[in-house]
């Protein structure tokens, strides 16, 4: 299950989640991962197997091809003449409090408040939204499956909204043929969908074009490149990042995949140190840091004299590293660059949601702010607010366009013809078409500015 701000940006990128392994769950901030608390969560929640691997790269990994979902049927579960029943999943933050104390606010309050606002304005083509919630225990291997069965088979909802973790949407759109809004909509997963599925985060597929931004001005020509990732993002590294580099004429001289238990910082540090030694021995002068490794890899690197150029695939994670300005040697970031989405916390769509929540819960006034402005460990109720705002905005836009005759057929066709749609907390709009059910929000190049010790969007 993912954590907000939602599927993507943060300031630039929003909170993001990763896949599960051995029954454990991992969350790291995405989409925006400016909040360092969520980055800490990544280390606290992922209870994965021990061990690490460092391997020479000598093969080609194919990128998943895009494939359109099949025509949606004229069925409308959970829809009556005056209501639409939807499922809403969200992470139970109390379930990981033994590892780290993170407060993302009240998800049900956020959704209920915004749903009431929609319903009070006439609902969706005269139908009121009726929510059914599924709170997911983040360290229970069975929790996501149990919630899926509850919402699809017991409650028979029309669609499920959430910031799903990894392959979790497939339980809805493939196994139970129930529509979904949210999650990491990759081409590989979408090819398996048997029900409408729309999202605003591509789960790493955006790196196919993003790597060319990191190689702008022929900056990788003649370079020796290494790549490092966490085990949960190994597929992104092998299926997207490395093939994209190879298309640019770059074959990594070394790769590393960290799968040390995150609850053991010493093991994580030691194994990351092994990767660094191997990269240096291979003569790598550039390291591509995939996903959530962006917050931790530089911390180990700074304890050495080795200073390769760092290229991050997730600027939100890189911002997690820069958050503790007094604690780090930022010479690790000389000439560093990153990929990420442009954030827009102050955009009108998001501020409308903030205003509605502050009116419903006056004690939240002044607390629903961009996570980038918060000190490490501070409560961040804006996370649940932005996730609810994003998912409901997308669902409502598609369902509105589907018209009074709401079914999976009309819902899918509406999404395929929706066109440009502002997604709260993103500066660049999503564009929905048959070929882009993920919204195709453009990834941007960010460059590290040593004067401010921050990453800023490149204007070049």
């Amino acid at each position: 299950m993912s954590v907000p701000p939602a599927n993507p940006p943060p300031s630039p990128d929003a909170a993001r989640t990763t896949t599960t392994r051995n029954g454990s769950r991992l969350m790291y901030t995405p989409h925006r991962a400016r909040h360092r608390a969520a980055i800490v969560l990544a280390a606290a929640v992922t209870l994965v197997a021990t061990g690490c691997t460092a391997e020479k790269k000598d093969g080609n990994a194919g990128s998943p091809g895009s494939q359109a979902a099949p025509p949606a049927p004229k069925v409308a579960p959970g829809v009556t003449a005056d209501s639409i029943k939807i499922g809403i999943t969200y992470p139970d933050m109390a379930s990981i409090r033994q590892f780290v104390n993170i407060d993302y606010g009240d998800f049900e309050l956020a959704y209920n408040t915004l749903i009431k606002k929609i319903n009070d304005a006439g609902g969706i083509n005269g139908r009121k939204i009726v929510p059914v919630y599924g709170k997911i225990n983040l360290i229970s291997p069975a929790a996501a499956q149990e919630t899926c069965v509850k919402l699809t088979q017991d409650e028979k909802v029309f669609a499920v909204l959430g910031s799903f973790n990894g392959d979790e949407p497939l339980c809805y759109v493939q196994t139970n043929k129930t529509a979904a809004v949210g999650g990491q909509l990759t081409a590989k997963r979408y090819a398996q969908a048997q029900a409408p599925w729309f999202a605003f985060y591509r789960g790493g597929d955006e790196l196919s074009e993003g790597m060319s931004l990191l190689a702008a001005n022929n900056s990788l020509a003649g370079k020796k490149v290494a790549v490092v990732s966490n085990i949960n993002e190994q597929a992104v590294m092998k299926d997207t990042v490395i093939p994209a580099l190879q298309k640019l004429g770059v074959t990594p001289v070394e790769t590393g995949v960290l799968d040390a238990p995150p609850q053991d910082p010493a093991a994580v540090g030691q194994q990351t140190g092994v990767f660094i030694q191997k990269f240096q021995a291979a003569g790598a002068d550039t390291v591509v840091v995939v996903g959530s490794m962006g917050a931790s890899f530089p911390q180990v690197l700074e304890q050495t004299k080795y200073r390769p150029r760092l290229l991050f695939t997730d600027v939100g994670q890189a911002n997690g590293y820069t958050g503790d300005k007094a604690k780090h040697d930022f010479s690790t970031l000389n000439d560093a660059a990153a990929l990420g989405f442009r954030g827009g916390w102050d955009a009108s769509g998001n501020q409308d949601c903030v205003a509605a929540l502050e009116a419903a819960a006056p004690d939240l006034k002044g607390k629903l702010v961009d996570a980038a402005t918060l000190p490490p460990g501070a409560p961040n109720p804006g996370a649940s607010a932005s996730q609810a705002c994003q998912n409901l905005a997308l669902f409502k836009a598609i369902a509105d366009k589907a018209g009074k005759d709401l079914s999976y057929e009309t819902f899918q066709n509406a999404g395929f013809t929706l066109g440009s749609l502002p997604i709260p907390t993103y500066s660049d709009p999503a564009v929905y078409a048959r070929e882009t059910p993920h919204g195709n929000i453009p990834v941007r190049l960010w460059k590290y500015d040593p004067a401010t010790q921050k990453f800023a969007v490149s204007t070049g």
Side-chain angles (χ1 to χ4, degrees):
M1 192 79 247
S2 68
V3 275
N7 282 322
S11 84
D13 282 341
R16 191 184 289 173
T17 60
T18 67
T19 57
T20 59
R21 182 174 187 265
N22 296 337
S24 62
R25 319 177 69 76
L26 167 68
M27 291 179 297
Y28 68 97
T29 42
H31 358 70
R32 191 180 241 161
R34 291 185 198 178
H35 18 125
R36 297 181 49 263
I39 294 170
V40 175
L41 181 60
V45 192
T46 319
L47 305 179
V48 296
T50 61
C52 70
T53 61
E55 57 192 25
K56 301 271 184 179
K57 182 65 186 176
D58 56 9
N60 291 325
S63 299
S66 59
Q67 177 178 335
K74 295 180 180 180
V75 298
V79 177
T80 69
D82 56 10
S83 68
I84 309 171
K85 185 191 292 188
I86 64 171
I88 295 172
T89 65
Y90 68 91
D92 178 8
M93 305 310 294
S95 66
I96 48 86
R97 198 153 289 149
Q98 59 183 307
F99 302 108
V100 60
N101 186 21
I102 294 178
D103 182 0
Y104 283 136
D106 190 331
F107 286 88
E108 292 194 22
L109 171 65
Y111 275 103
N112 283 335
T113 298
L114 300 180
I115 288 172
K116 183 178 185 301
K117 181 182 178 182
I118 294 171
N119 288 344
D120 288 349
I124 296 177
N125 295 313
R127 293 186 176 96
K128 301 297 178 68
I129 297 175
V130 178
V132 179
Y133 292 98
K135 180 170 62 174
I136 296 183
N137 184 317
L138 296 173
I139 57 175
S140 169
Q145 180 72 18
E146 291 169 352
T147 296
C148 173
V149 171
K150 168 192 169 183
L151 296 177
T152 60
Q153 299 181 24
D154 299 339
E155 295 291 345
K156 294 180 171 57
V157 299
F158 177 77
V160 179
L161 283 59
S163 201
F164 308 99
N165 198 49
D167 287 338
E168 286 174 10
L170 295 181
C171 179
Y172 298 96
V173 299
Q174 180 187 39
T175 305
N176 291 285
K177 297 179 175 59
T178 300
V181 171
Q184 302 175 57
L185 200 164
T186 64
K188 188 173 183 178
R189 293 186 185 118
Y190 191 65
Q192 303 174 65
Q194 298 295 311
W197 182 12
F198 296 94
F200 41 90
Y201 176 56
R202 288 182 276 170
D205 280 2
E206 72 277 5
L207 299 179
S208 292
E209 63 258 33
M211 296 309 297
S212 63
L213 297 177
L214 292 178
N217 300 318
N218 213 26
S219 62
L220 292 184
K223 300 298 183 181
K224 290 187 175 182
V225 178
V227 186
V228 64
S229 79
N230 184 285
I231 185 66
N232 295 280
E233 293 145 302
Q234 183 178 15
V236 174
M237 180 186 82
K238 290 192 172 183
D239 296 342
T240 305
V241 173
I242 290 177
L245 285 170
Q246 290 172 334
K247 287 182 180 178
L248 295 168
V250 178
T251 297
V253 296
E254 194 81 53
T255 66
V257 178
L258 178 73
D259 59 1
Q263 69 271 29
D264 187 348
V268 171
Q270 180 182 22
Q271 294 170 10
T272 302
V274 170
F275 296 151
I276 290 173
Q277 291 175 7
K278 288 179 177 292
F279 295 170
Q280 187 171 17
D285 49 28
T286 304
V287 177
V288 176
V289 186
V290 178
S292 56
M293 288 295 290
S296 60
F297 183 81
Q299 296 185 42
V300 182
L301 182 66
E302 69 182 33
Q303 299 172 33
T304 74
K305 294 181 179 180
Y306 177 45
R307 289 294 180 269
R309 185 188 184 207
L310 299 185
L311 302 178
F312 300 91
T313 68
D314 187 337
V315 70
Q317 296 296 331
N319 282 334
Y321 170 62
T322 62
D324 292 333
K325 291 184 170 54
K327 297 182 179 180
H328 297 298
D329 172 9
F330 291 127
S331 66
T332 55
L333 298 180
N334 289 341
D335 199 28
L339 300 174
F341 304 99
R342 291 197 301 177
W345 182 263
D346 294 329
S348 60
N350 193 59
Q351 289 307 302
D352 289 345
C353 293
V354 168
L357 284 163
E358 289 181 342
D363 60 316
L364 289 177
K365 192 170 182 61
K367 298 178 182 178
L368 303 178
V369 299
D370 188 343
T373 66
L374 295 172
N380 179 23
S384 54
S386 62
Q387 185 176 104
C389 190
Q390 290 171 329
N391 289 328
L392 285 170
L394 179 54
F395 175 76
K396 183 178 184 300
I398 298 173
D400 272 339
K401 185 163 187 175
K404 188 68 176 177
D405 182 19
L406 181 62
S407 69
Y408 280 177
E409 180 184 54
T410 60
F411 187 79
Q412 179 167 278
N413 289 339
F416 286 165
T417 59
L418 190 61
S420 180
L421 177 71
I423 299 294
T425 76
Y426 285 86
S427 295
D428 294 308
V431 178
Y432 292 93
R434 183 176 296 274
E435 299 77 17
T436 58
H438 45 61
N440 204 34
I441 297 175
V443 65
R444 302 293 184 178
L445 177 67
W446 298 67
K447 292 186 177 181
Y448 180 71
D449 180 358
T452 62
Q453 295 184 332
K454 294 180 179 180
F455 285 84
V457 174
S458 173
T459 58

